[in-house]
Amino acid sequence: MTYNAPAAREAMDRIAPALGVPDAPTGLFDLIRRTGGPTSLRDLGMAEADLDRAAELATAQPYPNPRELTRTCLADLLCDAWRGRRPQAAAGSAPDLRPLTDEVVASFDGCANPRLRQLLTDPPALGTPWSDRKVTKPQSQLSSQEAHMPCRVTLSGISSPGHEGK
């Protein structure tokens, strides 16, 4: 996908929203990584010594491809794929901050307060932004005002209206 993306923009523009990401090749790579799939040719059992031969075979016989295959470009692509390098997002697409968000959320695993730890580490449903997440506690502990009070996580902690940063 990374190699062909510049020549197949229409396809990439349909795939990216289906994955819920700004860039199809990086989105697919991240999806495979999150679900525990192999992200390198090495993981699939390909030997590094076979990369040059693979590039040679792929360019020996012309076949329909959205982008012209050159041995040099394909050798570079195969080298990146063998190492499992995450594709670079296409120019103009927003960076995928999910790995950073996942790391920050994981840092709350050691939180001493079990309720706060649950709120901060229990990921929302796929595709639901943290800002849209509804946090609940037992009905007997909710006041009518609390039931509708927005809450957000900030760098200084959890805040609610009138209590920012506290």
Side-chain angles (χ1 to χ4, degrees):
M1 286 178 80
T2 299
Y3 186 82
N4 286 319
R9 279 298 356 135
E10 186 179 316
M12 298 301 121
D13 289 345
R14 287 192 322 258
I15 295 168
L19 293 172
V21 297
D23 181 72
T26 55
L28 183 59
F29 181 90
D30 292 343
L31 175 64
I32 293 167
R33 183 175 52 197
R34 281 193 313 271
T35 58
T39 55
S40 72
L41 293 175
R42 178 179 39 214
D43 292 345
L44 295 172
M46 185 173 201
E48 187 174 18
D50 294 334
L51 293 176
D52 190 52
R53 178 75 175 134
E56 179 185 325
L57 290 172
T59 56
Q61 291 282 65
Y63 58 90
N65 194 66
R67 182 175 167 197
E68 180 185 359
L69 293 173
T70 67
R71 188 167 176 184
T72 302
C73 288
L74 197 53
D76 291 343
L77 175 73
L78 288 170
C79 184
D80 286 346
W82 188 82
R83 287 184 171 84
R85 288 190 181 132
R86 183 176 185 265
Q88 296 296 312
S93 63
D96 183 5
L97 298 178
R98 280 180 289 191
L100 177 61
T101 302
D102 292 345
E103 186 177 333
V104 170
V105 169
S107 73
F108 289 107
D109 282 341
C111 180
N113 181 314
R115 178 70 177 140
L116 182 58
R117 183 175 54 247
Q118 177 192 6
L119 294 173
L120 296 173
T121 60
D122 184 26
L126 185 61
T128 304
W130 280 96
S131 58
D132 293 346
R133 187 164 179 213
K134 298 206 177 6
V135 177
T136 61
K137 62 182 179 179
Q139 188 65 36
S140 61
Q141 296 178 14
L142 281 179
S143 71
S144 61
Q145 184 180 16
E146 281 182 310
H148 297 87
M149 183 181 293
C151 183
R152 63 187 171 276
V153 176
T154 67
L155 291 178
S156 60
I158 296 180
S159 64
S160 58
H163 297 90
E164 281 73 22
K166 296 183 179 163

